[in-house]
Amino acid sequence: MTIDKMPNKMDDAVKTPKKGADHILDHLLDDIIHDAKLLKLKNHELRQLLRQTDALSLLRAELSVASFFNKRKRRRNEWLPDKEFVTRNSLLTDLFEVKHIKTIYYIFVTTLIVLLLNTVVYDFIDRGVINFGFRPIVIGFGKFHLSLALWACMQLVVLCVYPAFKLWSRVRHIFADNYIRKVCDLSALIGVILFECSFICLVIKAVLQLDLPPASSLAALLEMTRFVMKVYSFIRTNVPRVLDSTENVTQRNKRTQTISSFAKYLYFLFAPTLIYRDEYPRTQRIRWSVVLRHALEVIGVICYVSFIFERFLTPLFDRFGDTEISLAKFVLILFESVMPATLIFLCGFFLLLHSWLNGSSELLCFADRMFYGDWWNASSFVEFFRLWNVAVSDWLYAFLYKESIQLLFKNHRSLATILVFTVSAVFHEVIMAFSFRFFYPVMFVGYEFMGLSMLFLTRNINKAAGSILVWFLLSVGNGIQMSLYNMEYYARKNCPKSSDSLVDYFIPVSWSCNGITHNSNWTFRAVEY
């Protein structure tokens, strides 16, 4: 600008003659007037631009607020989103592609091998015997052929659901009278309820009559639960199609194509998901090396869990019911069970949710393998329960949580959450009760009361503190559950039965038959160094 050049031009005017100085001063004055006009114009444009910017920002802010409230209103009124299947790997599969994570995996496997060798060498030198800890596998999976036969029977019964459902659909299409259709629909609804209840009762009765050991019973009852959930998912997904197809009586050719084919239903029964779809994302081929790797992981983890039971848990609890246990000893046993129980918890996750489901997915070319999320990073139990078992969480969300909000509780999400936890707790306790042949509601209390309370208490907790709290409660909770179930199992095994009445299944034996004795002579003293 001219103002910046003014000192130099004034020096030139002083040094030049009068006539030349007047000429320089005239040009300088003209330049100053021009710059002043230009500056005024720029200031005016700048003020206009600022006014426009402020108005635009205000308009954007108003639109953002309106959009937020419209989304909230729409979110309250519209239906909750459905499950979407996409091609993706399991989280650990992608993490194992990272070199550092793969190294941690190798270190973990090496640690397990060293621990196994250490125990085997110690037994050989100290006792002169070699014990690999396979006795829990032999005892727990006894009569496994009967469990497989029971599974085959369950599979055949569930296959009969498809022709029964198709029969209901065709009968409903034949009769155009609304009254007959309502009778048909009501009969079908009662039939589905009776089928599900009868299926559960008959499978439980078969497990009890065959006297299956704990692990075989657990496998059969888990498969029973899986079939029940799959049947409900198939029926609940296809019923709206049948009802919509009968709206227009004239479209008979179109109505016959509303139900999925039997091949799709059969694939769904084996697919590693509980949400029915006509089509799933598929892979192009089976990678048999991946199948073999996951099969070896399943076998290895089962052997390692058996080893943990044999070496760390059985020596702690096999005397329950045989001799009295002091309160001090019981407290020590509880804390000694925390680490083995945490290892079994992690091994169970890796066995079922990663190795087993990924192996079956590879065999079935099932491409959506997000069976779990990064639950280990959860800072609240809301995140943990959502990410721990995605397959079951999706079913509970789709058929309990979402439908109870829309049809029963009318957007009261807390009540829907309580319903989901109650149903989940009941099924967990049924599986545990009939697998071990006694009712000891540790699992029910853990889910219904502790889990539900922690769900609300840790909702808005600090992330770092929440992660520590989640891992602490998981470790201690698994240790307590493992201790109490083992106590009751061995107490019933060692104590003679007083009778075979139904009441005995509901009365804990571990607290009465040579149970825990209170020692009031506890003393505390400082450690001398």
Side-chain angles (χ1 to χ4, degrees), residues 417-432:
T417 302
I418 294 174
L419 176 64
V420 168
F421 267 77
T422 302
V423 173
S424 180
V426 169
F427 270 90
H428 277 82
E429 191 55 45
V430 166
I431 292 172
M432 296 300 293

Side-chain angles (χ1 to χ4, degrees), residues 313 317 333-346 375-376 378 381 384-385 388 442 450 454 466-484:
L313 292 176
F317 300 102
I333 287 174
L334 283 180
F335 280 94
E336 288 180 21
S337 302
V338 170
M339 189 56 66
T342 304
L343 287 175
I344 292 174
F345 169 76
L346 295 175
W375 58 266
W376 47 85
F381 277 90
F384 172 76
F385 286 116
W388 159 248
V442 179
M450 297 300 298
M454 288 296 106
S467 298
I468 296 173
L469 181 62
V470 167
W471 272 104
F472 176 77
L473 292 178
L474 283 177
S475 301
V476 174
N478 285 318
I480 293 174
Q481 288 186 4
M482 192 68 67
S483 299
L484 294 178

Side-chain angles (χ1 to χ4, degrees), residues 402-444:
K402 188 172 72 170
E403 294 194 351
S404 63
I405 288 177
Q406 295 165 350
L407 304 175
L408 187 61
F409 298 124
K410 302 300 180 183
N411 293 327
H412 293 287
R413 303 200 172 195
S414 299
L415 296 177
T417 302
I418 294 174
L419 176 64
V420 168
F421 267 77
T422 302
V423 173
S424 180
V426 169
F427 270 90
H428 277 82
E429 191 55 45
V430 166
I431 292 172
M432 296 300 293
F434 290 103
S435 295
F436 292 100
R437 309 297 193 273
F438 56 80
F439 177 75
Y440 202 36
V442 179
M443 188 75 73
F444 181 84

Side-chain angles (χ1 to χ4, degrees), residues 68-134:
F68 172 76
F69 283 106
N70 287 335
K71 285 182 179 179
R72 279 191 72 180
K73 185 176 180 180
R74 192 164 57 248
R75 194 180 297 123
R76 288 179 180 178
N77 296 329
E78 70 182 5
W79 287 57
L80 296 172
D82 293 328
K83 167 74 175 181
E84 294 184 4
F85 290 91
V86 295
T87 301
R88 50 189 172 179
N89 291 327
S90 291
L91 191 55
L92 286 182
T93 302
D94 290 334
L95 288 176
F96 287 155
E97 297 296 326
V98 181
K99 182 176 65 174
H100 304 291
I101 303 298
K102 192 70 173 179
T103 302
I104 295 175
Y105 173 75
Y106 291 149
I107 293 173
F108 187 75
V109 173
T110 304
T111 303
L112 301 184
I113 295 174
V114 171
L115 181 61
L116 176 62
L117 290 177
N118 178 47
T119 306
V120 170
V121 171
Y122 177 82
D123 285 344
F124 180 74
I125 295 176
D126 186 58
R127 303 177 184 176
V129 296
I130 296 178
N131 181 13
F132 288 100
F134 293 155

Side-chain angles (χ1 to χ4, degrees), residues 267-517:
Y267 180 83
F268 168 65
L269 290 181
F270 289 93
T273 180
L274 300 173
I275 305 297
Y276 178 81
R277 294 290 185 271
D278 289 335
E279 299 292 340
Y280 298 100
R282 305 283 292 273
T283 57
Q284 296 180 353
R285 61 185 180 88
I286 300 175
R287 297 172 296 175
W288 291 103
S289 60
V290 175
V291 175
L292 179 61
R293 186 181 76 242
H294 288 308
L296 292 177
E297 288 175 348
V298 168
I299 296 173
V301 173
I302 290 176
C303 293
Y304 185 64
V305 170
S306 175
F307 171 76
I308 293 175
F309 269 104
E310 178 75 11
R311 303 303 304 173
F312 297 103
L313 292 176
T314 301
L316 295 176
F317 300 102
D318 60 351
R319 303 288 297 181
F320 269 87
D322 192 16
T323 58
E324 291 185 347
I325 304 295
S326 65
L327 182 59
K329 181 66 175 176
F330 172 68
V331 173
L332 291 176
I333 287 174
L334 283 180
F335 280 94
E336 288 180 21
S337 302
V338 170
M339 189 56 66
T342 304
L343 287 175
I344 292 174
F345 169 76
L346 295 175
C347 288
F349 155 74
F350 189 82
L351 168 67
L352 293 175
L353 299 181
H354 181 75
S355 299
W356 180 265
L357 291 180
N358 274 283
S360 60
S361 296
E362 191 65 36
L363 282 173
L364 294 167
C365 297
F366 189 83
D368 191 349
R369 302 178 183 182
M370 187 56 67
F371 305 118
Y372 53 87
D374 57 336
W375 58 266
W376 47 85
N377 292 326
S379 58
S380 66
F381 277 90
V382 175
E383 292 182 72
F384 172 76
F385 286 116
R386 187 175 65 250
L387 301 173
W388 159 248
N389 189 341
V390 173
V392 175
S393 297
D394 287 340
W395 191 92
L396 293 172
Y397 167 79
F399 301 115
L400 276 182
Y401 182 80
K402 188 172 72 170
E403 294 194 351
S404 63
I405 288 177
Q406 295 165 350
L407 304 175
L408 187 61
F409 298 124
K410 302 300 180 183
N411 293 327
H412 293 287
R413 303 200 172 195
S414 299
L415 296 177
T417 302
I418 294 174
L419 176 64
V420 168
F421 267 77
T422 302
V423 173
S424 180
V426 169
F427 270 90
H428 277 82
E429 191 55 45
V430 166
I431 292 172
M432 296 300 293
F434 290 103
S435 295
F436 292 100
R437 309 297 193 273
F438 56 80
F439 177 75
Y440 202 36
V442 179
M443 188 75 73
F444 181 84
V445 172
Y447 264 86
E448 183 68 9
F449 298 102
M450 297 300 298
L452 197 58
S453 60
M454 288 296 106
L455 186 72
F456 293 105
L457 291 176
T458 61
R459 189 182 296 272
N460 299 317
I461 198 172
N462 176 269
K463 189 172 181 61
S467 298
I468 296 173
L469 181 62
V470 167
W471 272 104
F472 176 77
L473 292 178
L474 283 177
S475 301
V476 174
N478 285 318
I480 293 174
Q481 288 186 4
M482 192 68 67
S483 299
L484 294 178
Y485 276 115
N486 274 283
M487 283 170 48
E488 186 66 19
Y489 175 77
Y490 282 102
R492 289 179 177 270
K493 186 177 179 180
N494 294 328
C495 290
K497 290 185 179 181
S498 58
S499 64
D500 291 329
S501 64
L502 184 62
V503 180
D504 291 338
Y505 288 95
F506 294 91
I507 299 177
V509 175
S510 56
W511 299 89
S512 58
C513 178
N514 292 325
I516 301 172
T517 59

